């Protein structure tokens, strides 16, 4: 199982708005495994990374599926992005 590098690294928000760079399929796989949740997008990212690690798909295919997961969870760092607001700083809409 070889770590396959991405042509262009992905960056995701972690913690309180700190970016983390993911350079390889292994980095993305580990992040997806460690992510709290069980969404279809997360499962797809894990499957795609596993497939890339065994050579069934290329690293860029896994990168695209992982990016879709990260975008859906609003943690993908897009060019020029600012950190997402942390929970305590968001207005409350309780009635």
């Amino acid at each position: 199982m070889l770590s396959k590098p991405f042509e262009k690294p992905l960056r995701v928000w972690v913690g309180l708005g700190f970016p983390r760079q993911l350079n390889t399929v292994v980095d993305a796989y580990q992040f997806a495994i460690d992510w709290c949740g069980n969404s279809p997008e997360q499962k797809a990212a894990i499957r795609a990374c596993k497939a890339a690690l065994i050579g069934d798909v290329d690293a860029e295919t896994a990168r695209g599926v992982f990016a879709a997961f990260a975008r859906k969870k609003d943690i993908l760092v897009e060019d020029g992005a600012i950190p997402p607001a942390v929970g305590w700083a968001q207005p409350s809409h309780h009635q």
Side-chain angles (χ1 to χ4, degrees):
M1 186 161 73
L2 298 173
S3 179
K4 309 207 179 195
F6 294 136
E7 288 180 18
K8 181 180 177 188
L10 286 165
R11 293 188 326 145
V12 292
W13 297 115
V14 296
L16 297 175
F18 293 99
R20 176 176 169 196
Q21 185 162 302
L22 307 175
N23 298 306
T24 66
V25 173
V26 168
D27 292 344
Y29 175 74
Q30 190 63 53
F31 185 91
I33 290 290
D34 291 344
W35 179 262
C36 293
N38 199 24
S39 70
E41 297 85 8
Q42 179 185 11
K43 290 177 184 176
I46 291 168
R47 282 193 307 271
C49 289
K50 280 184 182 179
L53 290 171
I54 62 172
D56 287 349
V57 300
D58 62 33
E60 294 311 300
T61 299
R63 183 187 185 280
V65 175
F66 182 91
F69 152 66
R71 191 172 289 112
K72 176 78 174 180
K73 297 302 175 186
D74 202 27
I75 59 168
L76 183 65
V77 177
E78 306 277 5
D79 291 338
I82 58 170
V86 293
W88 52 266
Q90 295 178 351
S92 176
H93 298 289
H94 298 288
Q95 294 181 2

